[in-house]
Amino acid sequence: MEVHNTACPRNCYSTCSFKVSTDNGKVVGIDPQPINKATPEGPCIKGLSYLERVNSSDRILYPMKKSGDEFERISWETALEVISEKLKEFHHDFGPHSVLYYAASGMSGVLNGVSSSFWEMYGGATTVYGNLCWPAGLEATRLTLGENKHNAPWDIENAGVIILWGKNPAETNIQQMLPIGKAREKGARIIVIDPRYTPTAQKADLLVQPIPGTDALLALGIAKILIEKNQVDKDFLNKYVLGYEQFREEVLKINLEEVSATCGVPLEFIQEIVAAIVGSGPMTLVVGYGMQRYSNGGQTTRCLLALSVITGNIGKPGACWHYADLQGDIFSEIKEPESYYPGNDGLFRRSISTSSLGEQMMLQQNPKLKMAWVERGNPLTQNPDSNKVMEAFRQLDFVVVVDQFLTDTAKEADIILPAKSMFEQTDIISSYWNPYVQLKPKVIEPMGEVKPETEIYYLLAQRMGFSEQEILENIPQPNDQAIEDWLIEKLNAFPGLTLEKLRMGPVLAPGLQEVAFSNRVFPTSSGKIELYSEEAASRWGVSSLPTYEPVIEGKDNSSFPFNLLSPNTKNRIHSQFGNLQVIKSAAPEPYATINQLDAQKKNIQNGDWISVFNDRGELKIKAKLDPWMRPGCVSIYNGYWHQEGACPNTLSKGRETDMGHGAAFHDNMVDYQKVTSN
Ligand SMILES: Nc1nc2c(c(=O)[nH]1)N[C@H]1C(S)=C(S)[C@@H](COP(=O)(O)OP(=O)(O)OC[C@H]3O[C@@H](n4cnc5c(=O)[nH]c(N)nc54)[C@H](O)[C@@H]3O)O[C@H]1N2
Ligand SMILES: Nc1nc2c(c(=O)[nH]1)N[C@H]1C(S)=C(S)[C@@H](COP(=O)(O)OP(=O)(O)OC[C@H]3O[C@@H](n4cnc5c(=O)[nH]c(N)nc54)[C@H](O)[C@@H]3O)O[C@H]1N2
Ligand SMILES: [Mo]
């Protein structure tokens, strides 16, 4: 048996280090790797389920071609022949932009950049700009602090008050619960702000449940009380902050009764948050990504961040704005760029918004889209307004999907190519929370006829007739040594960071500041923290100050009365893992969580089937009654497949956030009614 150090490459805060054991070319064990101070206890249930995932009999191990409603195995020879002929034909007849290259967040790694190189060689393609995940908050933070970084995960232990605002680490970042627990033992106050009663809320001293999308106003209300009580850090504001006076002037105009009514939060609770901020010592404000998936998400994030700024809770132990830490993301230049802004298309020249993928795909002219290539993503399940995405895919002449399993998107393919698992190719990964650079080594030969993307593209480039020299300049040769050489070349930019060192285990990112901004350097255009941001106004057309803007689709402007939230669940990473037996035994069926009193009014009991609907779609799902859920809200976890009958994106609108070109998944009103009794 051999044991290797590795790390989980899923799109998740934690990015856990772990040890993988192999025997006779098979993965046989997964154990914790305590060297990593952020993830000492090892991976979650999903990490442990890799054992099943990699060896699963449902895995796609060969190229397959659609034949009627089924797929049949074909050879690589045939698959590459058919695909290269199609690529040549579309290029010749309509130009390269008739092909959509869609890649998302299914597998992290520096080698992902190779995929873009292939499409560049092809002459460009249509691709997406924006990102489904976090960009409104990233952009709001960049505009304010100049950079996205936060204190090391273990520093939370030093906080006197921890506010988890729209973040649910007990499910989405379980490793964060360790330092939170330690802080709590030392007397820290834990406040959760979330319309749902989450497993995280169960550990809190105070749960505040605002009406979804109103958090900006809640934050401004808190700011007003802090300012009136003179509980701001004058010295910090004078030295490091631009625009406090303008901010103060606007905030003082706010009426607290209106805040309470608009947010649906009693004034006493607002006072209680203020008391905790003032009286408990350093504050770490942990802001989740769900909270910014609204049409006002960027401005909301700026309002929340203003609380850290005016109280001087930045750049000190235990005092931190905790959104995303990109200090470990040392290859951001090389890696496939995640978001192309429109008009800034670089390699690809035509790009469409991922937030309204289906609609945009169908709108393209000159040329129309003819083909899509999908890898590392499941847009039919995960992008908003999935009925439109499905319609758009069905209008195409030819679809290639590279995946490990027969997902909703793979089902729409003409040809499916088998995707590697994390154990079948060496790569280097980073995280947006865990400040280490980590190696994910190849520990087994690819199963069946699986080939990593780098090899698929290499072979395809040969078939396309690109010159060997051009290919070698863009794509590493398909052998282990060439892949390692490619990685070593990238590592050369970081003295001391070698493949050998990474093999020994996780390495802290070069130049890491464990306390972010401890040097008080804020790389904004003014060199100060910008509460007042001209760039916010010029680039995004929002106010230069942090303001509350009502959401586009909310209670006041929709004929559907309930807010639908579709957050993440502990048993899945988005649409991954749910098909495994281990996960099915932990979470056997999807359900919609609804408030108990709301349910009673509609004569709905626990376990009844309900129909949740709006003018975009409908889904039938079992109801789970929850006395602690905020009334007026419904919650269905995202990640369930259409094949499982419970994909909430049937109901969501393809709409961009106010900044960063994110997806406003939660600006989403629905109604529901009983279908059949339990
Ligand atoms: N187990 C697991 N872990 C994951 C993932 C996963 O799928 N599964 N995904 C990873 C990825 S890519 C991401 S982006 C993160 C996301 O993880 P988080 O940052 O925790 O985000 P969400 O789960 O989307 O939402 C967090 C909370 O925000 C609340 N919320 C929604 N709307 C509002 C609002 O208007 N106001 C307030 N105050 N709260 C609101 C939701 O009820 C939810 O409990 O998790 C990462 N980690
Ligand atoms: N309603 C609603 N929808 C949401 C969200 C929400 O909060 N609400 N959250 C959004 C967020 S935050 C995110 S990040 C997105 C995530 O959406 P996606 O980025 O589409 O991620 P996944 O669902 O994880 O799907 C990734 C696919 O990649 C495949 N895969 C894994 N490894 C490899 C590989 O090495 N090669 C290839 N070719 N494929 C591989 C997996 O099998 C899986 O099918 O979903 C978004 N969708
Ligand atoms: Mo995400």
Side-chain angles (χ1 to χ4, degrees):
M1 198 161 78
E2 288 175 50
V3 182
H4 313 259
N5 292 310
T6 192
C8 181
R10 302 278 81 81
N11 178 2
C12 174
Y13 295 101
S14 300
T15 318
C16 300
S17 301
F18 63 89
K19 293 180 187 167
V20 53
S21 311
T22 56
D23 196 18
N24 269 328
K26 280 192 85 125
V27 171
V28 295
I30 284 171
D31 292 287
Q33 164 53 287
I35 296 176
N36 188 322
K37 277 169 70 182
T39 65
E41 295 195 351
C44 66
I45 183 174
K46 301 178 292 301
L48 297 172
S49 77
Y50 277 127
L51 221 50
E52 180 186 343
R53 185 173 163 100
V54 65
N55 296 312
S56 168
S57 57
D58 290 343
R59 238 188 110 179
I60 297 168
L61 296 176
Y62 309 96
M64 299 209 287
K65 174 171 150 284
K66 183 166 266 166
S67 158
D69 283 341
E70 303 287 308
F71 285 92
E72 61 187 35
R73 180 174 167 182
I74 53 172
S75 66
W76 271 105
E77 182 72 18
T78 310
L80 293 167
E81 182 63 25
V82 175
I83 297 169
S84 60
E85 284 310 311
K86 289 281 183 193
L87 283 173
K88 284 182 203 163
E89 178 192 324
F90 293 133
H91 194 295
H92 177 269
D93 293 351
F94 310 104
H97 295 168
S98 61
V99 179
L100 171 72
Y101 161 55
Y102 181 91
S105 73
M107 168 74 86
S108 56
V110 193
L111 277 166
N112 289 339
V114 171
S115 305
S116 312
S117 301
F118 172 85
W119 294 104
E120 199 179 354
M121 287 165 74
Y122 182 63
T126 295
T127 186
V128 291
Y129 66 81
N131 177 300
L132 300 175
C133 188
W134 57 344
L138 277 186
E139 179 63 359
T141 304
R142 187 193 68 81
L143 289 168
T144 313
L145 300 178
E147 197 178 351
N148 275 278
K149 56 185 178 184
H150 62 58
N151 297 5
W154 45 90
D155 173 70
I156 283 194
E157 207 182 315
N158 299 317
V161 54
I162 300 168
I163 305 187
L164 297 156
W165 202 320
K167 178 161 177 183
N168 177 22
E171 291 197 73
T172 62
N173 188 185
I174 55 169
Q175 310 283 349
Q176 188 170 50
M177 295 308 281
L178 295 172
I180 290 176
K182 286 188 185 157
R184 194 158 191 221
E185 276 166 25
K186 291 197 245 167
R189 300 259 302 159
I190 316 288
I191 299 175
V192 170
I193 305 182
D194 195 314
R196 299 188 307 135
Y197 179 59
T198 61
T200 310
Q202 290 167 22
K203 309 264 183 215
D205 300 299
L206 175 67
L207 169 64
V208 175
Q209 298 182 290
I211 293 172
T214 64
D215 301 77
L217 191 60
L218 181 59
L220 295 177
I222 295 169
K224 175 172 175 161
I225 305 177
L226 287 167
I227 291 169
E228 282 181 343
K229 286 182 181 279
N230 211 12
Q231 293 290 351
V232 296
D233 187 336
K234 285 265 165 52
D235 187 44
F236 187 84
L237 288 166
N238 287 338
K239 282 194 189 134
Y240 306 116
V241 179
L242 181 79
Y244 173 64
E245 276 313 314
Q246 291 105 307
F247 175 73
R248 177 176 177 276
E249 208 172 291
E250 286 308 307
V251 163
L252 289 178
K253 291 181 195 157
I254 287 172
N255 175 325
L256 289 174
E257 304 296 327
E258 276 174 27
V259 173
S260 172
T262 306
C263 303
V265 174
L267 210 48
E268 302 87 275
F269 283 19
I270 305 177
Q271 308 275 18
E272 206 171 319
I273 300 173
V274 171
I277 295 177
V278 170
S280 314
M283 170 177 79
T284 292
L285 178 47
V286 186
V287 173
Y289 302 162
M291 210 266 328
Q292 47 92 61
R293 287 187 203 117
Y294 287 87
S295 50
N296 62 8
Q299 280 296 79
T300 298
T301 310
R302 289 180 73 205
C303 291
L304 269 54
L305 176 43
L307 295 177
S308 300
V309 173
I310 63 174
T311 55
N313 276 301
I314 286 177
K316 302 165 201 160
C320 172
W321 166 255
H322 200 105
Y323 183 72
D325 189 6
L326 302 188
Q327 295 188 84
D329 194 17
I330 56 172
F331 292 116
S332 56
E333 307 283 307
I334 305 162
K335 243 176 31 185
E336 183 174 51
E338 277 187 343
S339 55
Y340 292 96
Y341 286 170
N344 184 17
D345 300 345
L347 322 171
F348 293 109
R349 280 176 287 158
R350 182 163 85 173
S351 57
I352 59 178
S353 174
T354 197
S355 308
S356 51
L357 181 68
E359 197 179 337
Q360 288 300 319
M361 282 173 72
M362 292 189 281
L363 280 174
Q364 296 310 301
Q365 300 290 340
N366 299 322
K368 283 186 189 298
L369 284 181
K370 294 288 173 185
M371 169 178 167
W373 172 291
V374 179
E375 66 183 52
R376 294 174 273 129
N378 188 6
L380 256 86
T381 312
Q382 291 308 118
N383 287 58
D385 203 349
S386 38
N387 286 333
K388 282 234 173 82
V389 181
M390 186 171 320
E391 198 185 331
F393 269 79
R394 290 186 175 168
Q395 286 182 8
L396 299 170
D397 290 355
F398 189 61
V399 176
V400 177
V401 175
V402 191
D403 209 310
Q404 297 171 356
F405 294 98
L406 194 56
T407 62
D408 292 331
T409 308
K411 273 194 138 179
E412 297 301 314
D414 295 287
I415 290 194
I416 303 176
L417 301 176
K420 66 184 182 298
S421 75
M422 67 165 285
F423 305 110
E424 293 162 344
Q425 184 176 45
T426 299
D427 208 344
I428 296 170
I429 61 173
S430 59
S431 158
Y432 41 88
W433 175 80
N434 185 335
Y436 291 87
V437 179
Q438 309 205 55
L439 187 73
K440 169 188 83 57
K442 174 174 173 179
V443 299
I444 55 168
E445 285 305 319
M447 317 238 327
E449 290 185 2
V450 166
K451 293 184 191 300
E453 281 82 350
T454 47
E455 183 169 351
I456 299 175
Y457 283 120
Y458 188 89
L459 298 174
L460 202 52
Q462 286 184 323
R463 293 257 167 185
M464 295 292 294
F466 300 144
S467 78
E468 199 60 23
Q469 190 196 338
E470 194 187 358
I471 298 175
L472 285 177
E473 276 166 17
N474 288 289
I475 306 178
Q477 280 182 302
N479 64 67
D480 297 347
Q481 192 56 52
I483 297 294
E484 291 201 358
D485 290 346
W486 192 92
L487 294 171
I488 288 168
E489 195 200 315
K490 308 298 169 203
L491 283 173
N492 284 341
F494 304 94
L497 197 58
T498 61
L499 220 48
E500 290 325 306
K501 193 166 174 193
L502 288 170
R503 267 190 235 288
M504 313 289 288
V507 178
L508 279 176
L512 177 79
Q513 271 180 346
E514 287 202 20
V515 174
F517 302 107
S518 52
N519 57 358
R520 304 288 186 273
V521 172
F522 301 101
T524 57
S525 44
S526 64
K528 289 190 160 191
I529 297 175
E530 297 198 356
L531 276 182
Y532 181 91
S533 164
E534 261 165 24
E535 192 183 345
S538 59
R539 192 186 269 261
W540 304 108
V542 297
S543 167
S544 39
L545 286 170
T547 52
Y548 166 62
E549 308 296 334
V551 291
I552 292 175
E553 186 172 323
K555 285 195 193 312
D556 299 334
N557 37 22
S558 168
S559 49
F560 300 97
F562 294 92
N563 288 91
L564 174 66
L565 306 175
S566 50
N568 296 320
T569 160
K570 68 172 187 293
N571 297 308
R572 295 171 178 238
I573 285 287
H574 301 291
S575 69
Q576 304 191 54
F577 295 99
N579 56 334
L580 305 177
Q581 292 312 319
V582 178
I583 301 299
K584 282 188 178 150
S585 60
E589 58 184 0
Y591 53 84
T593 305
I594 57 181
N595 171 274
Q596 191 160 319
L597 294 174
D598 288 344
Q600 275 167 11
K601 286 184 209 145
K602 288 177 176 275
N603 192 24
I604 295 168
Q605 314 281 327
N606 226 357
D608 285 353
W609 283 89
I610 59 171
S611 152
V612 184
F613 59 93
N614 60 19
D615 49 2
R616 293 181 283 271
E618 179 194 11
L619 55 91
K620 295 202 172 68
I621 188 166
K622 279 191 174 176
K624 184 170 180 177
L625 274 48
D626 180 350
W628 307 110
M629 171 87 160
R630 191 186 161 92
C633 297
V634 189
S635 171
I636 302 173
Y637 287 126
N638 82 78
Y640 283 97
W641 297 7
H642 291 282
Q643 296 168 50
E644 298 170 271
C647 173
N649 284 318
T650 303
L651 301 157
S652 59
K653 163 92 178 156
R655 180 183 278 132
E656 282 193 16
T657 51
D658 53 353
M659 47 184 84
H661 304 292
F665 286 103
H666 299 312
D667 259 42
N668 188 1
M669 301 302 290
V670 297
D671 201 350
Y672 57 85
Q673 66 194 24
K674 181 151 117 179
V675 180
T676 47
S677 295
N678 177 1

Coordinates of all heavy atoms in Angstrom, one line a residue, residues 10-11 53 104-107 132-133 293 375-379 382 402-405 407 419-420 453 566-568 573-576 638 648-649 665-666, ligand 2:
R10 N -12.3 20.4 -5.1 CA -13.7 20.9 -5.3 C -13.8 22.4 -5.1 O -13.0 22.9 -4.3 CB -14.7 20.1 -4.4 CG -14.7 18.6 -4.6 CD -15.6 18.2 -5.8 NE -14.9 18.3 -7.1 CZ -14.0 17.4 -7.6 NH1 -13.7 16.3 -6.9 NH2 -13.5 17.5 -8.8
N11 N -14.8 23.0 -5.6 CA -15.0 24.4 -5.4 C -15.7 24.6 -4.1 O -16.9 24.6 -3.9 CB -15.9 25.0 -6.5 CG -16.2 26.4 -6.3 OD1 -15.7 27.1 -5.4 ND2 -17.0 27.0 -7.2
R53 N -16.8 7.3 -5.1 CA -16.9 8.1 -6.4 C -15.9 7.6 -7.5 O -16.3 7.4 -8.6 CB -16.7 9.6 -6.1 CG -16.9 10.5 -7.2 CD -16.8 12.0 -6.7 NE -16.6 12.9 -7.8 CZ -17.6 13.6 -8.4 NH1 -18.8 13.6 -7.9 NH2 -17.3 14.4 -9.3
A104 N -16.8 25.5 -16.1 CA -17.2 26.1 -14.8 C -16.3 25.5 -13.7 O -15.1 25.3 -13.9 CB -18.7 25.9 -14.6
S105 N -16.9 25.3 -12.5 CA -16.0 25.2 -11.3 C -15.9 23.7 -10.8 O -15.5 23.5 -9.7 CB -16.6 26.0 -10.2 OG -17.8 25.5 -9.7
G106 N -16.1 22.7 -11.7 CA -16.1 21.3 -11.2 C -14.8 20.8 -10.7 O -14.8 19.9 -9.9
M107 N -13.7 21.3 -11.2 CA -12.4 20.8 -10.8 C -11.4 22.0 -10.8 O -11.2 22.6 -11.8 CB -11.9 19.7 -11.8 CG -10.5 19.3 -11.7 SD -10.2 18.2 -10.3 CE -10.6 16.6 -10.9
L132 N -21.0 32.3 -11.5 CA -22.3 32.0 -10.8 C -22.1 32.2 -9.3 O -23.1 32.2 -8.6 CB -22.7 30.6 -11.1 CG -22.9 30.2 -12.5 CD1 -23.2 28.7 -12.6 CD2 -24.1 31.0 -13.1
C133 N -20.9 32.4 -8.8 CA -20.7 32.2 -7.4 C -20.6 33.4 -6.6 O -21.5 33.7 -5.8 CB -19.3 31.4 -7.4 SG -18.9 30.8 -5.8
R293 N -26.0 36.9 -3.7 CA -26.6 36.5 -5.0 C -28.0 37.2 -5.2 O -29.0 36.5 -5.3 CB -26.7 35.0 -5.1 CG -25.4 34.3 -5.3 CD -25.4 32.9 -5.5 NE -24.0 32.4 -5.1 CZ -23.8 31.5 -4.1 NH1 -24.8 31.0 -3.4 NH2 -22.6 31.2 -3.8
E375 N -17.1 21.4 -20.2 CA -16.3 20.7 -19.3 C -16.3 21.3 -17.9 O -16.4 22.5 -17.7 CB -14.8 20.6 -19.8 CG -14.1 21.9 -19.8 CD -12.7 21.8 -20.5 OE1 -12.6 21.3 -21.6 OE2 -11.8 22.3 -19.8
R376 N -16.2 20.4 -16.9 CA -16.1 20.9 -15.5 C -17.4 21.7 -15.1 O -17.3 22.5 -14.2 CB -14.9 21.7 -15.2 CG -13.6 20.9 -15.3 CD -12.4 21.8 -15.2 NE -12.0 22.4 -16.5 CZ -11.8 23.7 -16.7 NH1 -11.9 24.5 -15.7 NH2 -11.4 24.1 -17.9
G377 N -18.5 21.5 -15.7 CA -19.6 22.3 -15.3 C -20.9 21.5 -15.7 O -20.9 20.6 -16.5
N378 N -22.0 21.9 -15.0 CA -23.3 21.2 -15.2 C -24.3 22.3 -15.4 O -25.2 22.5 -14.5 CB -23.5 20.3 -14.0 CG -24.8 19.4 -14.3 OD1 -25.4 19.4 -15.4 ND2 -25.2 18.7 -13.2
P379 N -24.2 23.1 -16.5 CA -25.1 24.3 -16.6 C -26.6 24.0 -16.7 O -27.4 24.9 -16.3 CB -24.6 24.9 -17.9 CG -23.9 23.8 -18.7 CD -23.3 22.9 -17.7
Q382 N -27.1 23.9 -12.8 CA -26.6 24.9 -11.9 C -26.8 26.4 -12.4 O -26.7 27.3 -11.6 CB -25.1 24.7 -11.6 CG -24.9 23.4 -10.8 CD -25.7 23.4 -9.6 OE1 -26.5 22.5 -9.4 NE2 -25.5 24.3 -8.6
V402 N -17.7 16.8 -21.4 CA -16.7 16.0 -20.7 C -17.1 15.9 -19.3 O -17.2 16.9 -18.6 CB -15.3 16.7 -20.8 CG1 -14.2 15.7 -20.4 CG2 -15.0 17.2 -22.2
D403 N -17.4 14.7 -18.8 CA -17.9 14.6 -17.4 C -17.6 13.1 -16.9 O -17.4 12.2 -17.7 CB -19.3 15.0 -17.2 CG -19.5 15.5 -15.8 OD1 -19.1 14.9 -14.8 OD2 -20.1 16.6 -15.6
Q404 N -17.7 13.0 -15.6 CA -17.5 11.7 -15.0 C -18.8 10.9 -14.9 O -18.8 9.7 -14.8 CB -17.0 11.9 -13.5 CG -15.6 12.5 -13.4 CD -15.3 12.9 -12.0 OE1 -16.0 12.7 -11.1 NE2 -14.1 13.3 -11.8
F405 N -19.9 11.6 -14.9 CA -21.2 11.0 -14.7 C -22.3 11.5 -15.7 O -22.1 12.6 -16.3 CB -21.7 11.2 -13.2 CG -20.9 10.5 -12.2 CD1 -19.9 11.2 -11.5 CD2 -21.0 9.2 -11.9 CE1 -19.1 10.6 -10.6 CE2 -20.2 8.5 -11.0 CZ -19.2 9.3 -10.3
T407 N -24.8 13.4 -16.0 CA -25.5 14.5 -15.4 C -26.6 15.0 -16.4 O -26.7 14.6 -17.5 CB -24.5 15.7 -15.2 OG1 -24.1 16.1 -16.5 CG2 -23.3 15.3 -14.4
A419 N -14.4 12.0 -18.0 CA -13.5 13.0 -17.4 C -12.7 12.3 -16.3 O -13.1 11.3 -15.6 CB -14.3 14.1 -16.8
K420 N -11.5 12.8 -16.1 CA -10.6 12.3 -15.0 C -11.2 12.5 -13.6 O -12.0 13.4 -13.4 CB -9.3 13.0 -15.1 CG -9.4 14.5 -14.7 CD -8.1 15.2 -14.9 CE -8.3 16.7 -14.5 NZ -9.3 17.5 -15.3
E453 N -8.3 16.3 -19.6 CA -8.5 17.3 -20.7 C -7.3 17.6 -21.5 O -7.3 17.8 -22.7 CB -9.1 18.6 -20.1 CG -10.6 18.5 -19.7 CD -10.8 17.9 -18.4 OE1 -9.9 17.3 -17.8 OE2 -12.0 17.9 -17.9
S566 N -32.1 29.1 -2.4 CA -31.6 27.8 -2.8 C -30.1 27.7 -2.5 O -29.2 27.7 -3.3 CB -31.8 27.7 -4.4 OG -31.3 28.8 -5.0
P567 N -29.9 27.6 -1.2 CA -28.5 27.5 -0.7 C -27.8 26.2 -0.9 O -28.4 25.3 -1.5 CB -28.6 27.8 0.8 CG -30.0 27.3 1.2 CD -30.8 27.5 -0.1
N568 N -26.6 26.0 -0.4 CA -25.8 24.8 -0.5 C -26.1 23.9 0.7 O -26.4 24.3 1.8 CB -24.4 25.1 -0.6 CG -24.1 25.9 -1.9 OD1 -24.7 25.6 -2.9 ND2 -23.3 26.9 -1.8
I573 N -21.5 19.0 -3.3 CA -20.9 20.3 -3.7 C -21.7 20.6 -5.0 O -21.5 19.9 -6.0 CB -19.4 20.1 -4.1 CG1 -18.6 20.0 -2.8 CG2 -18.9 21.2 -5.0 CD1 -18.4 21.3 -2.1
H574 N -22.6 21.5 -4.9 CA -23.4 21.8 -6.0 C -24.0 20.5 -6.6 O -24.6 19.8 -5.8 CB -22.7 22.7 -7.0 CG -22.2 23.9 -6.4 ND1 -23.1 24.9 -6.0 CD2 -21.0 24.3 -5.9 CE1 -22.4 25.9 -5.3 NE2 -21.2 25.5 -5.3
S575 N -23.8 20.3 -7.8 CA -24.5 19.1 -8.4 C -23.7 17.8 -8.3 O -24.0 16.8 -8.8 CB -24.9 19.3 -9.8 OG -23.7 19.4 -10.7
Q576 N -22.6 17.9 -7.5 CA -21.7 16.7 -7.4 C -22.0 15.9 -6.1 O -22.4 16.4 -5.1 CB -20.2 17.1 -7.4 CG -19.9 17.9 -8.7 CD -18.4 18.0 -8.8 OE1 -17.6 17.1 -8.8 NE2 -17.9 19.3 -8.9
N638 N -29.8 23.8 -3.7 CA -29.4 23.7 -5.0 C -28.5 22.5 -5.1 O -27.9 22.0 -4.2 CB -28.7 24.9 -5.6 CG -27.2 25.1 -5.2 OD1 -26.3 24.4 -5.8 ND2 -27.0 25.9 -4.2
P648 N -33.8 23.6 -8.2 CA -34.5 24.8 -8.0 C -34.3 25.8 -9.1 O -35.0 26.8 -9.2 CB -33.9 25.3 -6.7 CG -32.6 24.6 -6.5 CD -32.8 23.3 -7.2
N649 N -33.3 25.6 -10.0 CA -33.1 26.6 -11.1 C -34.2 26.5 -12.1 O -34.2 27.4 -13.0 CB -31.7 26.4 -11.6 CG -30.7 27.0 -10.7 OD1 -30.9 28.1 -10.1 ND2 -29.6 26.3 -10.5
F665 N -29.4 34.6 -8.1 CA -30.2 33.4 -7.9 C -31.4 33.6 -7.0 O -32.4 33.0 -7.1 CB -29.4 32.2 -7.4 CG -28.5 31.6 -8.3 CD1 -27.1 31.8 -8.3 CD2 -28.9 30.7 -9.3 CE1 -26.2 31.2 -9.2 CE2 -28.1 30.1 -10.2 CZ -26.7 30.3 -10.1
H666 N -31.1 34.4 -5.9 CA -32.1 34.5 -4.8 C -33.2 35.6 -5.0 O -34.1 35.7 -4.2 CB -31.5 34.6 -3.5 CG -30.6 33.5 -3.1 ND1 -30.9 32.2 -3.2 CD2 -29.3 33.5 -2.6 CE1 -29.9 31.4 -2.8 NE2 -28.9 32.2 -2.4
Ligands
LIG2 N1 -30.2 28.0 -7.5 C1 -28.9 28.1 -7.2 N2 -28.0 27.7 -8.2 C2 -26.7 27.8 -8.0 C3 -26.2 28.3 -6.7 C4 -27.1 28.7 -5.7 O1 -26.7 29.1 -4.6 N3 -28.4 28.5 -6.0 N4 -24.8 28.4 -6.5 C5 -24.0 28.6 -7.7 C6 -22.6 28.4 -7.4 S1 -22.0 29.3 -6.0 C7 -21.8 27.7 -8.1 S2 -20.1 27.7 -7.7 C8 -22.2 26.9 -9.2 C9 -21.5 25.6 -9.4 O2 -21.9 25.0 -10.6 P1 -20.8 24.2 -11.6 O3 -19.6 25.0 -11.7 O4 -21.5 23.8 -12.8 O5 -20.4 23.0 -10.6 P2 -20.9 21.5 -10.3 O6 -22.3 21.4 -10.1 O7 -20.0 21.1 -9.1 O8 -20.6 20.7 -11.6 C10 -19.3 20.4 -12.0 C11 -19.3 19.2 -13.0 O9 -17.9 19.0 -13.2 C12 -17.7 17.6 -13.3 N5 -16.3 17.3 -13.0 C13 -15.6 17.1 -11.9 N6 -14.3 17.0 -12.1 C14 -14.1 17.1 -13.5 C15 -13.0 17.1 -14.3 O10 -11.8 17.0 -13.9 N7 -13.2 17.4 -15.6 C16 -14.4 17.5 -16.2 N8 -14.6 17.7 -17.5 N9 -15.5 17.5 -15.4 C17 -15.4 17.4 -14.1 C18 -18.6 17.1 -12.2 O11 -18.9 15.7 -12.4 C19 -19.9 17.9 -12.4 O12 -20.8 17.4 -13.2 O13 -23.6 26.6 -9.0 C20 -24.4 27.8 -8.9 N10 -25.8 27.4 -8.9

